[in-house]
Amino acid sequence: QVQLVESGGGLVQAGGSLRLSCAASGRSFSSYAMAWFRQAPGKEREFVAAINWSGGDTYYPDSVKGRFTISRDNAKNTVYLQMISLKPEDTAVYYCAAGVTGWGTMDYWGKGTLVTVSS
């Protein structure tokens, strides 16, 4: 079983930056693919970023490419999401997820952290 706890959300002005963290329990963290998703009020959950087990491969949708960077520290069992040039449409609850067999299927989810971007 893996527990994921997100932190770092908050209120930021448009154009600002935030770094989210996701701390994972369990000894197998370094073997999992990790990802971030977000869900805005009234909208479906949206994929934001993914990283493979070693950190050597990442993937982003066009909506955040060039603004968001996912990284991981396997020694600290933590994955990060650095967000810059934030826009009001980035406002959402951000969730961390872990995939045992890769980023195609997420097996574990955190409870989320709220990011609010004011205009």
Side-chain angles (χ1 to χ4, degrees):
Q1 190 73 12
V2 175
Q3 291 188 332
L4 304 173
V5 180
E6 302 93 337
S7 62
L11 175 64
V12 62
Q13 288 188 332
S17 302
L18 276 177
R19 189 178 81 156
L20 306 183
S21 299
C22 172
S25 65
R27 291 178 290 179
S28 299
F29 171 81
S30 61
S31 68
Y32 297 155
M34 300 296 296
W36 288 93
F37 292 78
R38 67 186 180 186
Q39 187 166 20
K43 295 188 177 181
E44 294 187 352
R45 187 171 58 198
E46 176 189 14
F47 165 72
V48 172
I51 189 166
N52 73 335
W53 66 275
S54 69
D57 196 12
T58 58
Y59 181 70
Y60 307 92
D62 289 343
S63 57
V64 306
K65 195 174 294 182
R67 299 189 300 121
F68 290 10
T69 302
I70 188 171
S71 61
R72 66 190 298 161
D73 186 336
N74 286 343
K76 295 182 178 180
N77 276 18
T78 301
V79 64
Y80 304 98
L81 185 68
Q82 178 69 50
M83 306 183 291
I84 66 171
S85 303
L86 283 162
K87 306 174 182 180
E89 51 264 43
D90 294 318
T91 295
V93 177
Y94 283 71
Y95 298 91
C96 172
V100 175
T101 58
W103 63 46
T105 301
M106 294 292 114
D107 300 288
Y108 303 102
W109 293 84
K111 293 183 178 181
T113 185
L114 176 62
V115 173
T116 303
V117 184
S118 63
S119 57

